[in-house]
Amino acid sequence: MLRLDREFWKVEICMSGVRLSPAVSSLKPSATLAAAAKAKELKAKGITVYDFTLGEPDFNTPENVRKAAVAAMEAGHTHYTASGGIPELKKAVCETYKRDYQLEVTPAQVLISNGAKHSIHNVLAALCGPGDEVIIPGPYWVSYSALVELAGATPVIVDTTEESGFCMSADQFRKAITPRTRLMMLNNPSNPTGATYPIDKLKALADVAVERDIMVLSDEIYEKLLYKGAEFKCFATFGPEVAKRTIIVSGVSKAYAMTGWRIGWTIGPVDAIKAMDNLQSQETSNPCSVSQYAAVEALNGPQQSVEAMRVEFEKRRNYVMGRLQPWREKFGVTFAEPGGAFYAFFNVSSRFGKPLAGGVVVNNATDFCTALLEQAHVALVTGDAFGAPGYVRLSFATSQEVIKAGLDRIEAFLAG
Ligand code: PMP
Ligand code: GLU
């Protein structure tokens, strides 16, 4: 277990002489966005790049949703809204959880924000501060540790393994708890591993949360993207004792291909939601009015497009797994099969210190990604960014053609 302590009092002076706050001076840019920007830079130079960096559906937002946005603009919904979101969207969120998970929530338990990333920031800013510890199963999504640190708290990373399907056990969770533990952050299905918790393992975590009275932030943004019979259960549905300790975060970005609209939500205890609404009212006023109306249609309208996109992601996932399988024997590449989300996460450390294509030798995943981009024009994200040295992440939320050509190139690169 790794405790990432930081020197909170340290104030750094940047090159221009502007004195930055302690919280911001140590903040790094999001590694996923940085990797995508690097790939874009090469593309702008006219180079064909096989880009697997961003976890962003390549599909257009469904037509009914786009039309609802136009209608909202025409109807004059182009002004500030209530800071915590329009009543129609809060109601749609409540109805969705009732319909999909038989979970009863009231609009006062719902906060609409500018994407799930903003929702996570709100939760951490509202609940955590200096001296608090936040348990995060690793590998973890890049922004988790950064946002915990931004809140002044300390991320406590609990490493999981391929053998466990990258799932944290109840025992690991229990052992990581200290008197300073404020929250556990769970991401199911997971970015970057695609891990999906079997319901019994999830229930065991919920039992520990109740037994030790720990709040759980359950990030369920990939809830609709499940493959090959993988199970999903909304964390708050394990009963009232679990529900009162759970804060659900989700949104429309992934399931409805609405990344650019920036709509996410938080569901939790009324007093915590009220505090986050206060914070949001000072920070951002409200989420984009037009996007909120579009999200109402996404949730209330026909759901066939969600399933159509999921089916396409599943085809891509199966293709990627079929290509990776022989790499185990051929190159010593290892991985756990993803049950959800749209990421393949594989360990390439067996190739460190040995010549890859062009005679290049690398000793870590970050250098591997840099060399792969330079030599083969394939962009992946280093596992170092997710607390998983030796691993790389490939987002298969891109076309079959790009996936095939990109994998051909990675294979040739590995072969040396
Ligand atoms: N959680 C996880 C695990 C993610 O991968 C993402 C992807 N951006 C988010 C939250 C945030 O999603 P968004 O802000 O686009 O709603
Ligand atoms: N969550 C996506 C990813 O991991 C989008 C980028 C981001 O917000 O970090 O690639």
Side-chain angles (χ1 to χ4, degrees):
M1 196 189 313
L2 171 73
R3 277 194 167 70
L4 301 172
D5 278 309
R6 63 191 286 257
E7 296 172 79
F8 225 78
W9 55 89
K10 202 167 121 194
V11 175
E12 284 179 6
I13 311 285
C14 78
M15 295 298 278
S16 69
V18 174
R19 207 172 98 150
L20 298 173
S21 72
V24 164
S25 61
S26 55
L27 199 61
K28 292 192 196 78
S30 156
T32 46
L33 300 184
K38 214 167 160 189
K40 262 198 195 108
E41 237 175 68
L42 281 188
K43 285 181 211 167
K45 288 184 186 156
I47 297 169
T48 304
V49 178
Y50 301 85
D51 187 358
F52 302 105
T53 54
L54 270 192
E56 167 166 53
D58 54 326
F59 304 108
N60 200 357
T61 300
E63 192 182 5
N64 62 314
V65 176
R66 302 196 311 264
K67 283 194 170 150
V70 173
M73 281 189 274
E74 296 298 338
H77 295 306
T78 52
H79 302 275
Y80 292 133
T81 71
S83 57
I86 56 174
E88 295 89 326
L89 183 51
K90 290 188 175 192
K91 185 164 171 270
V93 169
C94 295
E95 286 169 359
T96 299
Y97 281 78
K98 174 98 178 109
R99 179 188 71 212
D100 293 352
Y101 308 127
Q102 296 75 55
L103 183 69
E104 298 277 356
V105 288
T106 64
Q109 289 178 268
V110 178
L111 180 72
I112 311 297
S113 301
N114 301 282
K117 193 185 269 187
H118 183 213
S119 305
I120 294 167
H121 169 68
N122 281 342
V123 175
L124 293 167
L127 265 60
C128 305
D132 292 334
E133 291 178 351
V134 177
I135 296 173
I136 305 176
Y140 55 87
W141 178 43
V142 272
S143 294
Y144 281 7
S145 56
L147 291 174
V148 168
E149 290 183 354
L150 191 61
T154 303
V156 175
I157 310 299
V158 176
D159 288 319
T160 64
T161 59
E162 260 175 37
E163 294 68 42
S164 70
F166 290 117
C167 291
M168 178 172 73
S169 69
D171 208 35
Q172 283 182 299
F173 178 24
R174 202 177 282 108
K175 283 191 181 129
I177 296 170
T178 76
R180 286 157 40 138
T181 304
R182 188 74 190 89
L183 193 69
M184 189 269 274
M185 284 174 85
L186 195 68
N187 182 206
N188 179 39
S190 155
N191 176 3
T193 62
T196 46
Y197 276 78
I199 291 172
D200 57 337
K201 284 195 181 176
L202 201 62
K203 163 97 171 54
L205 295 182
D207 289 345
V208 175
V210 173
E211 173 196 312
R212 304 295 297 270
D213 195 18
I214 304 290
M215 291 294 295
V216 176
L217 188 170
S218 184
D219 177 351
E220 302 178 356
I221 190 91
Y222 296 101
E223 65 199 285
K224 304 279 185 225
L225 300 176
L226 299 170
Y227 314 116
K228 264 202 157 173
E231 327 179 272
F232 173 78
K233 189 168 168 67
C234 173
F235 201 79
T237 59
F238 283 110
E241 285 303 309
V242 180
K244 76 180 192 203
R245 293 175 176 82
T246 304
I247 298 182
I248 301 170
V249 167
S250 194
V252 291
S253 285
K254 315 291 175 176
Y256 299 94
M258 290 178 70
T259 45
W261 301 74
R262 311 308 303 131
I263 296 293
W265 54 78
T266 311
I267 302 174
V270 173
D271 45 354
I273 292 293
K274 178 77 190 104
M276 291 177 223
D277 192 351
N278 292 346
L279 173 67
Q280 187 162 294
S281 77
Q282 297 288 7
E283 253 177 3
T284 69
S285 295
N286 59 269
C288 168
S289 59
V290 175
S291 296
Q292 291 188 67
Y293 285 93
V296 171
E297 173 60 21
L299 295 181
N300 288 351
Q303 301 295 303
Q304 289 89 328
S305 49
V306 177
E307 175 59 9
M309 290 189 272
R310 191 203 64 78
V311 166
E312 184 54 35
F313 286 134
E314 181 150 24
K315 278 191 208 148
R316 298 172 187 182
R317 173 215 176 270
N318 293 346
Y319 176 76
V320 173
M321 289 302 111
R323 289 293 304 266
L324 256 59
Q325 205 61 44
W327 295 3
R328 287 186 193 273
E329 199 152 313
K330 233 168 150 179
F331 306 122
V333 163
T334 63
F335 57 93
E337 296 214 348
F342 32 55
Y343 306 106
F345 198 61
F346 49 101
N347 191 321
V348 291
S349 62
S350 61
R351 302 296 293 139
F352 296 167
K354 294 171 191 151
L356 297 159
V360 63
V361 175
V362 300
N363 291 306
N364 59 60
T366 302
D367 290 349
F368 180 92
C369 291
T370 306
L372 182 68
L373 185 58
E374 283 169 0
Q375 303 271 328
H377 301 157
V378 175
L380 303 179
V381 183
T382 171
D384 293 327
F386 306 104
Y391 283 85
V392 291
R393 190 191 79 174
L394 178 150
S395 160
F396 52 80
T398 189
S399 75
Q400 283 273 17
E401 299 75 57
V402 172
I403 294 172
K404 183 185 177 310
L407 286 170
D408 288 346
R409 284 170 167 253
I410 299 173
E411 188 163 338
F413 183 71
L414 287 167

